[in-house]
Amino acid sequence: MSQPSTKFIPALGFNLLTPLYDLIMQLTMRELTFKRRLIEEMKIEKSRRVLDLGCGTATLTILIKRTYPEAEIIGLDIDPKILDIARSKVQKAGVDIKLDQGSALELPYPNNSFDRVVSSLVIHHLTHENKARTFREVFRVLKPGGELHAADFGKPQNVLMYLIARFFGLFEDTSDNIKGLLPKMFREAGFEEVEETARYATMFGTLSLYKARKPG
Ligand SMILES: C[S@@+](CC[C@H](N)C(=O)[O-])C[C@H]1O[C@@H](n2cnc3c(N)ncnc32)[C@H](O)[C@@H]1O
């Protein structure tokens, strides 16, 4: 198998825009609404281990820790610049969260080490091959019976979302999402009980929430 590339697409496409990420998310993506729903669906019990894959500025990571203070939460991102923002937010929030730098394509964790992996708006940053590779990595690090919870662009739910998706469909990395292929790709990585649990209309198209379980 080829070695994964260390190249990545920053949160808003360009490094210069990263400091504006939180503001843009709040204004365009109904951020708190979908992140609260994602957290509710994760149903984390005491002393469980959770990985926020592609944690970005750690908004979701901090919300998870505040909702489930007894769980161990780790955030991982490939971009050192966004992790600097995440670190200062975690410190300001006064919560105990470990932040790691690393790639979704080669997760720096042993097999069967997490009860939940959550990933918000990361999958559309990856090529088709890298999405498949990432799903296999998530499967590897989850414990048997563990769950992946993902929020990302999905199949358009109405005409307006379809028109927006046509525009974003021009970008290769988003096309698997808007063709509705993510559930199939989760199953191909070994997951079962794959479900699309919610859909939200946003300024950048339909955002879908997905849940998938590692057998065991
Ligand atoms: C749009 S941001 C989402 C951030 C955060 N999860 C959220 O919901 O606000 C996408 C994040 O994925 C990260 N990312 C992109 N490619 C990655 C990879 N191969 N491995 C780990 N993180 C990656 C980017 O650095 C960025 O922080």
Side-chain angles (χ1 to χ4, degrees):
M1 198 183 287
S2 58
Q3 279 305 302
S5 154
T6 50
K7 279 201 291 189
F8 65 93
I9 303 173
L12 289 174
F14 302 96
N15 277 325
L16 269 177
L17 297 179
T18 299
L20 298 177
Y21 180 75
D22 280 353
L23 179 66
I24 305 250
M25 277 295 289
Q26 285 158 24
L27 294 178
T28 62
M29 290 299 297
R30 305 174 62 187
E31 182 181 27
L32 280 183
T33 308
F34 87 80
K35 286 186 174 171
R36 284 198 178 119
R37 168 81 185 248
L38 199 55
I39 291 172
E40 202 178 289
E41 290 183 359
M42 288 167 72
K43 295 189 177 45
I44 303 165
E45 289 162 22
K46 279 184 191 172
S47 4
R48 294 297 163 113
R49 290 192 89 217
V50 180
L51 173 66
D52 181 3
L53 175 61
C55 62
T57 59
T59 305
L60 175 65
T61 336
I62 294 168
L63 273 177
I64 299 172
K65 184 67 185 175
R66 285 195 166 138
T67 313
Y68 301 107
E70 293 181 63
E72 181 185 350
I73 318 290
I74 296 170
L76 173 132
D77 203 283
I78 198 167
D79 180 355
K81 288 203 177 68
I82 210 156
L83 279 175
D84 285 344
I85 300 175
R87 277 196 191 96
S88 73
K89 280 172 66 177
V90 164
Q91 197 180 13
K92 213 164 153 189
V95 285
D96 180 16
I97 289 173
K98 184 168 179 276
L99 293 171
D100 291 333
Q101 191 194 347
S103 171
L105 311 185
E106 223 169 18
L107 292 173
Y109 309 109
N111 298 349
N112 308 325
S113 43
F114 292 97
D115 300 282
R116 300 281 184 273
V117 174
V118 62
S119 183
S120 158
L121 292 168
V122 180
I123 297 169
H124 72 282
H125 281 238
L126 307 171
T127 62
H128 178 81
E129 188 197 339
N130 287 344
K131 284 184 183 70
R133 193 166 194 144
T134 295
F135 300 158
R136 289 196 297 272
E137 274 296 88
V138 170
F139 189 86
R140 179 183 68 75
V141 301
L142 271 171
K143 295 177 187 171
E147 292 172 3
L148 164 65
H149 292 258
D152 218 301
F153 296 111
K155 206 169 175 181
Q157 76 220 91
N158 57 38
V159 177
L160 176 62
M161 292 297 114
Y162 172 77
L163 293 173
I164 294 175
R166 289 260 317 194
F167 173 73
F168 286 107
L170 298 175
F171 300 105
E172 190 205 329
D173 296 343
T174 316
S175 75
D176 287 327
N177 295 56
I178 61 183
K179 285 180 192 157
L181 294 180
L182 295 187
K184 177 171 172 275
M185 294 182 75
F186 294 140
R187 282 188 205 99
E188 282 166 359
F191 287 98
E192 62 181 22
E193 295 175 34
V194 176
E195 262 182 81
E196 186 183 16
T197 57
R199 282 186 183 155
Y200 297 91
T202 76
M203 282 175 69
F204 292 109
T206 294
L207 181 93
S208 293
L209 302 198
Y210 300 99
K211 180 179 167 190
R213 189 170 169 278
K214 177 169 172 172

